Each structure stands twice: as structure tokens, then as C-alpha cells.
């Protein structure tokens, strides 16, 4: 069985939209395939209205252990070089390129820290 969240990710729609249009909390793979094969009018409309390349969901993946999750992108997210789970030690992440300084932004998704490497000033 798939969750409504799984279905929303597969259909590339927000979770609220899936709930609003009656995607059940649990559904089978066959039921989801039926929706993909014969999309209801609201889904066709939603896809037609999509502008630009802004993604509904992004895959977050830890560079250290490979843990990943799909999350709704947030406007405040930085443009990171790496993500890692918040309990890893900083040294476990790949070294920043020589001449770059690293800053960390926490609170990405459910458990990630974003590692942002910038060329050091001067
Ligand atoms: Zn990790």
C-alpha cells in the first residue's frame, strides 16, 4: 500500500491538493496507476497550470549515509553543496574545495543540515 504522501510525490502535486481532491490516505499501486493512466480533470488542470521549472517536491539526500526523503522546497533554503543528517560530525562530510569556506544551515527537511561552500572573501 502507498500513503497519500507517496501518491502526491508520484503525481508531483502538493499533499494538500491530494487530500482536497479525495486521494485516500492509503491506496494501492494499482489505484495510483489508474489515476496516472486516466488523470481526473483537476490533475490535468494542475499540470497545465504549472509554470516554469519550480519543482513541487525535491529529493533530499545525506552525503554521509545516503538517507533520503522527499520534501516540499522552502523559499529560505540556501543553494547548498551538500546535505547531511544533523547528527553526523562535520568532518564526515566531504572537505570544501580549497579556498572555500563552509557555513551550515540547519532545519532542512526533517533532519538535514545544508552545507554551503562559498569562495572566501579576498
Ligand atoms: Zn546521514
Amino acid at each position: 500500500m502507498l500513503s497519500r504522501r507517496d501518491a502526491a510525490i508520484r503525481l508531483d502535486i502538493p499533499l494538500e491538493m491530494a487530500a482536497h481532491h479525495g486521494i485516500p490516505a492509503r491506496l494501492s499501486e494499482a489505484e495510483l496507476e489508474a489515476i496516472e493512466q486516466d488523470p481526473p480533470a483537476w490533475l490535468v488542470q494542475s499540470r497545465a497550470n504549472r509554470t516554469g521549472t519550480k519543482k513541487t517536491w525535491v529529493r533530499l539526500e545525506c552525503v554521509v549515509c545516503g538517507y533520503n526523503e522527499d520534501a516540499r522546497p522552502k523559499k529560505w533554503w540556501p543553494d547548498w553543496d551538500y546535505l547531511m543528517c544533523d547528527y553526523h560530525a562535520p568532518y564526515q562530510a566531504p572537505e570544501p574545495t580549497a579556498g572555500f569556506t563552509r557555513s551550515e544551515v540547519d532545519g532542512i527537511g526533517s533532519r538535514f543540515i545544508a552545507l554551503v561552500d562559498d569562495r572566501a572573501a579576498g
Side-chain angles (χ1 to χ4, degrees):
M1 293 296 271
L2 301 164
S3 67
R4 181 185 289 142
R5 182 184 164 83
D6 294 330
I9 291 168
R10 281 267 294 274
L11 297 171
D12 196 27
I13 57 173
L15 196 52
E16 312 85 73
M17 184 183 285
H20 180 74
H21 290 286
I23 302 286
R26 311 290 294 172
L27 71 170
S28 68
E29 182 72 27
E31 285 173 305
L32 180 55
E33 268 171 31
I35 294 169
E36 286 178 318
Q37 295 299 316
D38 186 18
W42 61 264
L43 184 55
V44 174
Q45 187 68 36
S46 158
R47 288 174 168 170
N49 288 348
R50 182 82 47 78
T51 53
T53 55
K54 189 169 169 292
K55 287 174 153 175
T56 309
W57 296 90
V58 293
R59 169 64 52 94
L60 306 176
E61 184 165 345
C62 174
V63 70
V64 177
C65 70
Y67 170 85
N68 62 70
E69 68 182 26
D70 294 292
R72 300 291 304 281
K74 301 283 191 298
K75 282 200 179 67
W76 59 267
W77 282 3
D79 199 10
W80 57 72
D81 294 88
Y82 303 103
L83 287 172
M84 69 176 185
C85 308
D86 54 15
Y87 56 82
H88 295 308
Y91 72 82
Q92 292 183 275
E95 291 282 315
T97 308
F100 283 63
T101 54
R102 174 163 291 173
S103 52
E104 299 182 358
V105 180
D106 59 13
I108 310 292
S110 66
R111 62 191 274 181
F112 292 100
I113 291 178
L115 305 175
V116 184
D117 296 344
D118 282 310
R119 191 174 290 279

